[in-house]
């Protein structure tokens, strides 16, 4: 049974930093590209960032490029999202996801999400 468990969310002020983690189990982690998505209240889920299976390739949504950094540790089966210079518009539930194909629009597995709230 595949499980992706996010953690690290919370309430922070604008300009602060936060680091999310997502631990994967039940799959061969280094066979999967990993991504982060988010969904704000009343909005559709949107892509945030993705990292290739070996961590060498990454890409970001325009709205977070330069502020967020995605990384992974294949020994710990964990993917991270470091979020700097947070803005109120970053408030959302953040989800990690796993895909067999890097840069795919389809992801095979999803976590339950962690809430990030940025107060202005």
């Amino acid at each position: 049974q595949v499980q992706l468990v996010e953690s690290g969310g919370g309430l922070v002020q604008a300009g602060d930093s936060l680091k999310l983690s997502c631990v994967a189990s039940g799959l061969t982690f280094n066979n999967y590209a990993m991504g982060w998505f988010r969904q704000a209240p009343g909005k559709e889920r949107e892509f945030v960032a993705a990292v290739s299976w070996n961590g060498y390739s990454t890409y970001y949504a325009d709205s977070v490029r330069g502020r967020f950094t995605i990384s992974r540790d294949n020994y710990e089966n964990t993917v991270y999202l470091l979020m700097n210079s947070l803005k109120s518009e970053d408030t959302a539930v953040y989800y990690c996801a796993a895909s067999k194909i890097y840069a795919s629009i389809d992801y095979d597995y999803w976590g339950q999400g962690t809430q990030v709230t940025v107060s202005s």
Side-chain angles (χ1 to χ4, degrees), residues 4 11 20 26 51 57 62 66 69 75 83-84 89 98 111 119:
L4 303 178
L11 172 63
L20 306 182
V51 60
S57 296
D62 290 344
T69 303
Y75 294 103
M83 305 183 293
N84 294 324
E89 51 263 44
S119 64

Side-chain angles (χ1 to χ4, degrees), residues 4-6 22 95-97 109-113:
L4 303 178
V5 180
E6 303 95 336
C22 170
Y95 301 88
C96 72
Y109 304 105
W110 294 85
Q112 293 299 307

Side-chain angles (χ1 to χ4, degrees), residues 19-65:
K19 188 172 185 178
L20 306 182
S21 301
C22 170
V23 179
S25 61
L27 76 170
T28 304
F29 186 67
N30 59 11
N31 282 353
Y32 287 83
M34 298 298 295
W36 285 97
F37 293 76
R38 67 186 181 186
Q39 187 167 19
K43 295 187 177 182
E44 293 188 354
R45 186 171 59 197
E46 63 175 0
F47 168 79
V48 174
V51 60
S52 60
W53 69 271
N54 56 9
Y56 289 170
S57 296
T58 60
Y59 70 104
Y60 300 89
D62 290 344
S63 58
V64 307
R65 187 176 295 111

